[in-house]
Amino acid sequence: MPKLDIPITLLDPDGGWINTPIHVSELDEQPVLLHFFSLKQRGSDEDIDAVKRIIAEFAPQGLRVISVDVTGSDKELRDTNAVEAFARKHGLFHAIAVDDGSMAQAYDVLDTPAWLVFDADSGRLRHHFVGKNGAHHARRVLERFVRSSAAAPAPAP
């Protein structure tokens, strides 16, 4: 069973970033979805389509989505062209971290796809879903998380 209640602090991928890098300080008081995938995983088109739908639906409401490519080789880690080509082919414009496995290990991700949901209040891991139905389960949780963070009163000036 994956560990929960881990803070979202481990965003320094050895392979760097595709598209835009994200710093932890940019994630304060926002719900975050970390989506772990591999270029070699079966069913990746369905998985990527699910990510795109989640971004389209929840990003306008404040959700930050970060995908994490758990690399299959040292070559992929050193040369991110394959990950960049994959992102272009699938129309992915959000932040993608290229991980050597250390992010996956830190968040106890043993298989892909994996969907990790962090709450806006504490920035801590609250839900961890793996496998084919993971996107469906993550989406149901995100509906609650995004709705509750949108309903929260704005901080005083």
Side-chain angles (χ1 to χ4, degrees):
M1 178 89 180
K3 295 177 233 161
L4 298 179
D5 205 35
I6 301 169
I8 187 162
T9 57
L10 305 167
L11 293 179
D12 189 19
D14 279 355
W17 292 91
I18 306 299
N19 299 329
T20 305
I22 298 285
H23 301 283
V24 173
S25 63
E26 298 172 47
L27 303 174
D28 286 346
E29 298 179 11
Q30 294 179 312
V32 176
L33 172 67
L34 281 186
H35 163 248
F36 285 81
F37 74 102
S38 171
L39 295 183
K40 297 180 181 14
Q41 99 191 17
R42 286 189 213 158
S44 65
D45 285 349
E46 292 173 25
D47 185 51
I48 296 304
D49 288 344
V51 170
K52 289 167 62 173
R53 284 191 302 273
I54 286 172
I55 291 170
E57 183 174 351
F58 296 106
Q61 300 174 51
L63 177 69
R64 295 297 298 262
V65 177
I66 302 167
S67 288
V68 181
D69 169 47
V70 182
T71 61
S73 68
D74 287 337
K75 180 181 184 250
E76 188 178 318
L77 188 61
R78 289 188 315 274
D79 179 7
T80 60
N81 287 334
V83 182
E84 290 175 24
F86 181 86
R88 274 194 310 279
K89 174 184 173 193
H90 292 282
L92 301 175
F93 303 104
H94 66 290
I96 301 172
V98 181
D99 182 30
D100 67 344
S102 59
M103 286 177 68
Q105 183 178 9
Y107 291 115
D108 210 14
V109 172
L110 304 176
D111 198 7
T112 61
W115 306 79
L116 283 62
V117 180
F118 294 79
D119 73 16
D121 297 329
S122 68
R124 299 183 85 74
L125 179 61
R126 297 300 178 212
H127 298 276
H128 183 142
F129 305 104
V130 180
K132 184 177 179 180
N133 293 323
H136 172 74
H137 296 299
R139 188 182 182 293
R140 290 179 54 205
V141 167
L142 289 170
E143 287 173 346
R144 243 185 17 249
F145 273 39
V146 171
R147 187 175 36 238
S148 68
S149 67

